[in-house]
Amino acid sequence: MCLGIPGQITEIDGAEATAEFWDVEKTVRIDIVDEDVEVGDYILNHAGFAIRKIPDEEVEETIEIYESFLEGDEDEALEEIGGEPDEQLGIGGD
Amino acid sequence: MAVESGEPDLQFRDPEKAEQLTDRLEALMDDIGERVTIMHVCGSHEQAIAKYGLRSLLPDGLTIRMGPGCPVCVTDMPEVDEAVALAEEGKIVATYGDMLRVPGTEKSLDDAKADGADVRVVYSASEAAEIAEEEDEEVVFFATGFETTAAPTAAVLTAAPPENFSILSAHKYVPPAMEVVAELPDTDVDGFLAAGHAATITGYGLFEEFVEDYEVPTVVGGFEPIDILFGLAKLLEFIRDDEPGLANAYQRCVSEEGNVPAKETMWDVFETTTGEWRGIAQIPEANLVLREEYSQYDARGRFDIDVDTTSSNPLTEECLCGEIMAGKADPDDCALFGEECTPQDPVGACMVSSEGPCKIWLEYGGQPDI
Amino acid sequence: MSDEQEVITEAHGAGSGQMRELIEELAVSRFESDDAETDVPLAALDDGSVHRLANGGGSVVVTTDSHVVTPLFFRGGDIGRLAVAGTVNDLAMMGATEPTALTCSLIVESGTPVDTVERVMESMRETSEEAGAPITTGDTKVMGSGEIDTLAINTTGVGIVQQGGHVPDAGLSPGDKLIVTGTVGDHGISLLSEREGFDFEGDLQSDVAPVNDLVAAAMDAGKITAMKDPTRGGLATSLNEMASKGGVGLEIDERSIPVSGAVASAGEVLGIEPLNVANEGKVVLGVASEDADAVLEAIRNHPQGADAAIVGEAVDDHVGRVILDTGFGNRYLTEPEGEQLPRIC
């Protein structure tokens, strides 16, 4: 479920902020976002609420992980995303 | 589409990477050497898979099934009947666009609106509260969806909404439903692609126990084509290695613990109870109802909702929604599909929502071999 | 849902299959004629009908359209501009790019400010001048308060084409290229976000405009085999109609379909496909393959056609269907059913 869209905060007014979704702007609530957000931060908007501050480096990192995966370095990619192939039950964290 | 300006997050829509990932899927399926069925538990996954035509890329033998991941689809008929009854009694009923055409026993909210009731489409829970500020009448927000919308509903209630505002909660909580589906005797699922946005709230750590208990590989996946294909590749690796692992393939939005403030707000306001998921089953602790402290905002307590559930549409007996959402049937296995049941006149809720498997199959042509 | 008497619902008015069925049942079956002088009859369900005049004096094209819209004045236009452009465009879609005359029939709710009607009339005047389409006759009715929502406008248009020179919906042959004259989804996405109060800020506005001059430029540049304006139901509906009426399949490259950044973004946020919503100033044309580049160039040189693109071609299999190459894989592009609503779950 859930149509989540990344946007960038351009203005903050208390529990409300304006976020830019590429070429349109819309008001979003920021009272349940996971971390404090500032102008310039990226957030994941769902139904008018920011539900996640997307760390700047994560987008690039995700791409790098996908690429290392595609270059055949599966273990590295797996480790990055929390799965650990050597353990019986591969559950990891960051 | 040739977008004239603006830069949507195109890195995750790169067809070249998709092709490389498809090659990986092929190779993994060769290694596995038998049919594999993956279930996703998220309508937006289905929507993206269909919209981008990803099924036509998948290797032979790899089947993607849709689980109970459409909150609109699993909203039970009596819940819709309650919303219709409130609208017909003269309350302003605000809800998400997806809910408008969901059939109740006799009417949908759209039907009630056509008959003169004041039913409004909102994009967010806070817009519903804003309507209450502007109007003197009672405004009831028909609150549907999983964790991703339950937390926003909770945030609106904790922010002291107007007195004429209340909610009719049909919110549902995903994790118990995955357990029920995993336990269904006819469900043959080799791996779960878990819903990335619900996990944004709950965190992927929540699935640890699920994976341990059911020994089914589970990967939390995002919604761009590359995210989905990557998630599938991860699942195939787990399956190839015969390893019931858990991985987070949507790291930019999902952390292990999830969105703590949102979870806290949600659990401050809601508690779980056992309830019916339309077409699937009674699911223990998977419906969200308001806690005592918030009972003044509970439309069920505030109004005497007169719902008669004795009559039902005979067509619903033939509807396969339940089997489809449990991964046991495809939409075109249903005799009503596209005939008696269409998006304009849906019999089952799977035909209503953009996330509904039947509507998606109809809209995007199912799994055409083209 | 029940055994009650069948009634007209909003769904019947939302374009696509349900409306066509209703029209076939209620109108086509009754008004059918086999007049030899009629080249495009009602049964073709085209944008207008085409009738041969005596002595080879060309053919007359007739079209009519009733207009209602909420709100009456919206970003990029208003009901008056819509009423003139809509009918001018329907004539142009048949190949009649120089309208002879338009009618204006107005139905107004009692209590509507004169000023509102005046603004609408002024907009109609401006648009009719822009299109070179004189309004020459009309009618006015006033209805009681609550009997109609503010005002509705019917416009009928008449134009002339050379005999056999009209362009039907059904004219596609395998090999023909499909051209879209500009960004799609502008009117529908803009109106929806404005009407439902989704508070978008950005460059979202209706594209409502007469396109007869643009179409004339295209027709001068090469052989146009089929033409539609993708209004209700959007590009998806028009392409499906052209495929099924023409007895061809269509292969469309999704990435070549022009969409403005603002429409794409708002569409993503609302969960609505720009291909499924109305345009009021765009055309989709089928063009003989050898003329495609010349026609595209002529369209791009027109002020309204800078974003035009070749988006696909007609093929001899998948008859009646539209195959969309998404860049990842193929899927069918089907007609949307009913009014598009924002989704969030």
Side-chain angles (χ1 to χ4, degrees), chain A residues 69, chain B residues 25 28 38-40 49 54 58 62-64 193 219 226-239 249:
Chain A
F69 178 83
Chain B
L25 293 177
L28 285 160
I38 305 282
M39 176 178 277
H40 64 76
I49 288 166
L54 300 186
L58 299 180
L62 175 59
T63 306
I64 312 291
L193 185 65
V219 171
I226 304 300
D227 291 319
I228 291 171
L229 294 170
F230 184 70
L232 292 175
K234 289 312 309 163
L235 279 165
L236 290 187
E237 282 194 350
F238 282 142
I239 292 163

Side-chain angles (χ1 to χ4, degrees), chain B residues 171-181 183-184 214 267 271-277 280-288:
Chain B
H171 280 307
K172 308 234 180 306
Y173 185 56
V174 180
M178 280 177 70
E179 295 182 21
V180 165
V181 172
E183 279 172 7
L184 287 175
Y214 296 95
W267 293 125
E271 59 189 346
T272 59
T273 182
T274 297
E276 187 74 20
W277 283 38
I280 298 186
Q282 283 266 335
I283 302 186
E285 308 305 323
N287 278 13
L288 296 175

Side-chain angles (χ1 to χ4, degrees), chain B residues 17 34 48-49 78 156 166 227 271 298 306 361:
Chain B
K17 279 205 190 72
E34 52 188 56
I49 288 166
V156 168
S166 59
D227 291 319
E271 59 189 346
D298 192 344
D306 182 21
W361 274 55

Side-chain angles (χ1 to χ4, degrees), chain B residues 239-317:
Chain B
I239 292 163
R240 178 197 61 190
D241 301 340
D242 202 18
E243 186 204 342
L246 169 67
N248 172 21
Y250 194 33
Q251 212 169 14
R252 64 189 186 280
C253 288
V254 179
S255 64
E256 184 171 7
E257 69 282 5
N259 180 338
V260 176
K263 276 196 287 192
E264 281 172 4
T265 308
M266 182 172 88
W267 293 125
D268 278 349
V269 171
F270 290 107
E271 59 189 346
T272 59
T273 182
T274 297
E276 187 74 20
W277 283 38
R278 183 179 190 140
I280 298 186
Q282 283 266 335
I283 302 186
E285 308 305 323
N287 278 13
L288 296 175
V289 291
L290 287 173
R291 287 181 188 277
E292 185 59 36
E293 300 90 291
Y294 288 90
S295 58
Q296 77 264 32
Y297 298 118
D298 192 344
R300 292 194 179 93
R302 194 188 299 206
F303 311 110
D304 185 19
I305 308 174
D306 182 21
V307 168
D308 171 24
T309 52
T310 50
S311 64
S312 76
N313 182 341
L315 282 180
T316 55
E317 306 289 313

Side-chain angles (χ1 to χ4, degrees), chain A residues 12-25:
Chain A
I12 295 178
D13 180 14
E16 283 196 347
T18 305
E20 189 180 283
F21 301 93
W22 311 304
D23 284 356
V24 291
E25 289 195 335

